Amino acid sequence: LMPAPNRERILVKRWEALADGICDAATTAFHERKRPTKLQDKGWIDRQYAKIARSLEFMAEELGDSPFCMGNHISLADLAVGTALGYLAFRFPDIAWGENHPNLARLYEKMMQRPSFADTVPRD
């Protein structure tokens, strides 16, 4: 899942950082939306959504037609991206990332075939 220390490891860690950034922005927006409506900062929420959109765009571009983030094998990058996409699917159904980025949707579906993902889908 984690390559030896080299350029490939750096790329895996970059994917992980992107996925973590999506989760950070999404969690921040989720909590802001839980506040009483008149106390919510719409501009703050919009900025978090913009961060998510830019990250998804970059991930989709980097993934291209590859079956996995790092080419032909699963790595920590795929686990991190799958987790971030799963959180968006659970908490932000209004973000149409699967429609806008079909290659990310394919990766997510591939990850959901793994019992470790399918068995841990959050429930409200």
Side-chain angles (χ1 to χ4, degrees), residues 71-92:
N72 293 319
H73 62 283
I74 193 168
S75 70
L76 177 64
D78 304 289
L79 300 178
V81 171
T83 300
L85 295 175
Y87 184 74
L88 291 179
F90 177 60
R91 290 287 184 208
F92 294 87

Side-chain angles (χ1 to χ4, degrees), residues 10-63:
I10 292 168
L11 294 175
V12 166
K13 296 297 283 178
R14 184 179 72 168
W15 278 101
E16 181 185 17
L18 282 164
D20 288 350
I22 286 175
C23 289
D24 289 346
T27 301
T28 300
F30 175 76
H31 286 291
E32 185 67 20
R33 291 189 321 186
K34 295 292 256 179
R35 297 175 67 198
T37 304
K38 63 189 218 176
L39 296 177
Q40 291 179 17
D41 185 338
K42 174 108 169 70
W44 177 256
I45 294 169
D46 291 345
R47 285 191 299 278
Q48 304 316 306
Y49 269 73
K51 290 176 191 178
I52 293 166
R54 285 191 308 270
S55 296
L56 290 169
E57 190 70 38
F58 183 79
M59 284 179 166
E61 186 177 313
E62 288 291 305
L63 181 61

